[in-house]
Amino acid sequence: MRVSGTFGDRTVGLLARCSLERAAVSVSTGACRVDAAAGSYARRTPEQSVLYLVVREHLETFLTMVREERGKDLPHYVEQELRRFLRCGVLAHGFLRVACLECGEEIIVAFSCKCRGACPSCSARRMCGTAAHLVDRVMPVDVAVRQWVLTVPHEVRRLLALRPAALTGCGRIFVEELARWQKQAAKARGIDGGETGAVTFVQRFNSMLGCFVHFHLVVPDGVFTRTSKDAAAATFHRGPAPSRQDIAAVAARVELRMTRWLRRRGFVDERPEEERSNETAEPSPLEVCMQLSLFGGTFLCLDDDGTPVPVASPRARAGNNSPWAAETGGFNVHAGVTVDATDREGLERLLRYGARPAFSSERLSLLPDGRVAYLLRRPRSNGATHLVLDPIVFLARIASLNGTAVRTWTSMRFISSSCSSRYASAMLRIRPRRSFRLRTCSESTSTSLKRPRKTFSIIRCRASAPTVGFDRNASNSG
């Protein structure tokens, strides 16, 4: 790989330290996408998207309003996330020139921003890469898995969104209680010494761009035991499906332990009501954005031309009578999604769902009056199909999705009191990194899930805007 050129006053020699595999994968999955019908590449044009236009036109107004109304700025990492998005995929902020060794075809790939909350493109690429990595190198083969979802009360949810320690603690408690139930169920069937693990996805959003922190866990639907004490091998024992009483017991244990955790760290005000202050604490700018993400906006039904159609009042939601869900004290646990041991594509789809972006830019549209309309995944009970937002409120929702400076998105836990690394590797069957081989344009890259493929080989860097500073976080191609 050859990398040359400058970007502003800084040489992009750091790109030479990137491995050829990482660079080639980034090239084929970021700012370029495969046009299967034509057999060629088409560059992504973020400058023409609705999201880019809204951020570009209203970002400075939004930041000024926050500064004037709250007396302080948004956290620096939130502002930088939005500003970096405006440089994502734009050739004026740097690009790579890529050529195929076999046919000589050349393409230009712009740098990406690597944002997690504001950029759907980078988040979608991370989703595909995370799911493929977990399926190929982490998740055990021929093992059924189950998805467990935990939602918490509104007061706790707000705390999880603002305190990384509380978020980590709640996720750890949920994983440990699931492992506790699985081991007890295995022991009741005569299986001693069972161990398990989990992949945790932290989702900070709901389907309506609201700040809604909850957990998705992908857990083996059973336990592992050692084949022998000295051998680094494990045997999987699939457990029974949880009953509603089992799910309620897990929810109750999570509520009990999380309440104790919050009380020990002083997050629960246990003073008598008459001793508490009547004055509420002044919310921070990020907390105000979180409140707007939950209450700002109007649900409408729009025609194809964007004309609002009258809708009836929404009906009250019925209670959840699913046999796979239970709630205790506002802590709701759902365990109704499973993937068969032989369905690897289904497992990858489930992992993609856990790692998915907060929203899709393709569902955004601009109304004639300048408001932003977001197409809902399914119509509401009153027939409303879109969430209509003022541009400033829309940016507040996007800002609230960034959470805290220390953000937890995906984690893997192996639950064992005394387990060696050999045993953990045997249980999860972590395989060594596969050898890398370049592919040329003539080789087939088709796959059922359309995974990123390593296609091009020679990489050179050109700088087209020498006055723009180089962003060390936008290291290579998108």
Side-chain angles (χ1 to χ4, degrees):
M1 180 179 69
R2 291 188 297 112
V3 182
S4 60
T6 59
F7 205 104
D9 297 330
R10 177 176 177 178
T11 303
V12 294
L14 60 92
L15 288 175
R17 296 196 297 268
C18 300
S19 66
L20 184 59
E21 177 178 359
R22 176 184 175 188
V25 171
S26 299
V27 165
S28 61
T29 61
C32 293
R33 63 181 186 272
V34 177
D35 186 353
S40 60
Y41 284 87
R43 190 183 76 86
R44 183 172 63 89
T45 54
E47 311 95 315
Q48 302 176 6
S49 66
V50 173
L51 179 61
Y52 185 91
L53 295 176
V54 172
V55 176
R56 185 188 62 185
E57 296 296 329
H58 300 280
L59 177 58
E60 297 300 333
T61 303
F62 168 65
L63 296 176
T64 302
M65 289 180 61
V66 171
R67 187 180 305 112
E68 293 178 351
E69 294 183 7
R70 311 310 307 177
K72 58 179 69 174
D73 294 331
L74 277 172
H76 179 70
Y77 63 88
V78 176
E79 180 178 343
Q80 288 302 309
E81 185 101 350
L82 295 172
R83 293 193 185 280
R84 285 168 54 195
F85 166 74
L86 293 177
R87 301 195 295 268
C88 180
V90 180
L91 296 176
H93 295 284
F95 58 88
L96 297 179
R97 190 179 183 89
V98 186
C100 177
L101 284 175
E102 183 175 283
C103 67
E105 180 185 357
E106 293 187 352
I107 59 175
I108 293 177
V109 184
F111 290 142
S112 63
C113 63
K114 308 296 188 294
C115 293
R116 292 178 180 266
C119 183
S121 176
C122 292
S123 299
R125 184 170 62 86
R126 183 177 290 105
M127 170 194 69
C128 296
T130 299
H133 166 73
L134 292 174
V135 170
D136 291 344
R137 301 187 56 213
V138 176
M139 300 302 293
V141 181
D142 297 332
V143 171
V145 299
R146 183 179 297 271
Q147 177 185 243
W148 294 73
V149 182
L150 171 66
T151 57
V152 299
H154 173 73
E155 298 80 4
V156 181
R157 196 183 309 145
R158 174 179 173 272
L159 185 65
L160 299 184
L162 297 173
R163 301 295 183 98
L167 182 69
T168 303
C170 187
R172 175 181 54 81
I173 290 172
F174 188 33
V175 172
E176 291 176 354
E177 289 306 318
L178 283 182
R180 174 193 180 102
W181 172 79
Q182 287 185 316
K183 293 177 183 180
Q184 289 178 347
K187 192 171 184 179
R189 296 186 294 123
I191 303 173
D192 294 328
E195 305 294 349
T196 185
V199 176
T200 304
F201 296 98
V202 179
Q203 294 190 356
R204 297 179 173 271
F205 52 87
N206 56 17
S207 60
M208 295 173 290
L209 300 181
C211 182
F212 192 94
V213 180
H214 60 289
F215 299 88
H216 287 248
L217 267 65
V218 179
V219 183
D221 204 16
V223 297
F224 295 85
T225 57
R226 282 186 175 94
T227 303
S228 63
K229 291 186 178 180
D230 298 329
T235 302
F236 178 70
H237 307 272
R238 183 164 186 176
S243 64
R244 192 166 189 178
Q245 290 75 19
D246 295 331
I247 299 174
V250 172
R253 287 283 305 176
V254 171
E255 180 205 9
L256 177 63
R257 290 189 57 186
M258 193 61 193
T259 303
R260 290 176 178 174
W261 190 94
L262 295 173
R263 184 179 291 112
R264 286 197 304 267
R265 285 156 180 79
F267 291 120
V268 178
D269 191 353
E270 297 181 321
R271 295 177 299 172
E273 188 174 354
E274 57 272 10
E275 297 182 7
R276 301 178 188 177
S277 175
N278 294 327
E279 297 181 1
T280 58
E282 185 71 16
S284 66
L286 189 58
E287 290 180 276
V288 174
C289 291
M290 291 179 180
Q291 294 174 2
L292 287 175
S293 72
L294 297 175
F295 304 108
T298 306
F299 293 98
L300 298 175
C301 181
L302 302 179
D303 282 338
D304 295 337
D305 58 354
T307 304
V309 177
V311 294
S313 300
R315 298 191 298 269
R317 295 181 59 183
N320 190 351
N321 296 320
S322 170
W324 301 107
E327 182 174 337
T328 303
F331 288 80
N332 185 285
V333 177
H334 185 275
V337 178
T338 59
V339 177
D340 189 70
T342 59
D343 189 4
R344 301 299 285 183
E345 292 188 1
L347 175 61
E348 186 163 353
R349 284 192 294 268
L350 178 62
L351 294 170
R352 286 190 179 190
Y353 179 78
R356 73 187 189 276
F359 63 98
S360 171
S361 60
E362 296 179 354
R363 291 158 65 180
L364 290 172
S365 60
L366 279 177
L367 300 182
D369 58 1
R371 292 185 297 172
V372 181
Y374 186 69
L375 177 64
L376 303 178
R377 189 172 59 178
R378 61 175 64 92
R380 291 169 63 87
S381 59
N382 61 348
T385 58
H386 290 74
L387 173 63
V388 180
L389 302 163
D390 180 82
I392 301 300
V393 177
F394 173 75
L395 289 180
R397 292 197 174 218
I398 301 301
S400 69
L401 299 178
N402 289 281
T404 58
V406 181
R407 288 171 284 179
T408 304
W409 299 84
T410 305
S411 64
M412 289 168 279
R413 289 184 173 91
F414 179 74
I415 307 301
S416 175
S417 56
S418 59
C419 115
S420 65
S421 58
R422 284 183 71 201
Y423 182 37
S425 298
M427 201 186 83
L428 296 178
R429 302 193 184 183
I430 299 177
R431 289 169 289 280
R433 185 179 296 275
R434 294 169 295 179
S435 59
F436 176 73
R437 185 179 68 86
L438 293 174
R439 293 175 180 266
T440 58
C441 296
S442 61
E443 293 183 281
S444 173
T445 60
S446 61
T447 179
S448 57
L449 285 174
K450 298 182 179 179
R451 286 192 188 174
R453 292 297 178 183
K454 315 168 188 65
T455 305
F456 292 91
S457 54
I458 300 179
I459 301 179
R460 291 171 288 162
C461 183
R462 292 267 183 94
S464 55
T467 60
V468 181
F470 186 80
D471 186 358
R472 72 173 66 231
N473 295 321
S475 56
N476 59 3
S477 60

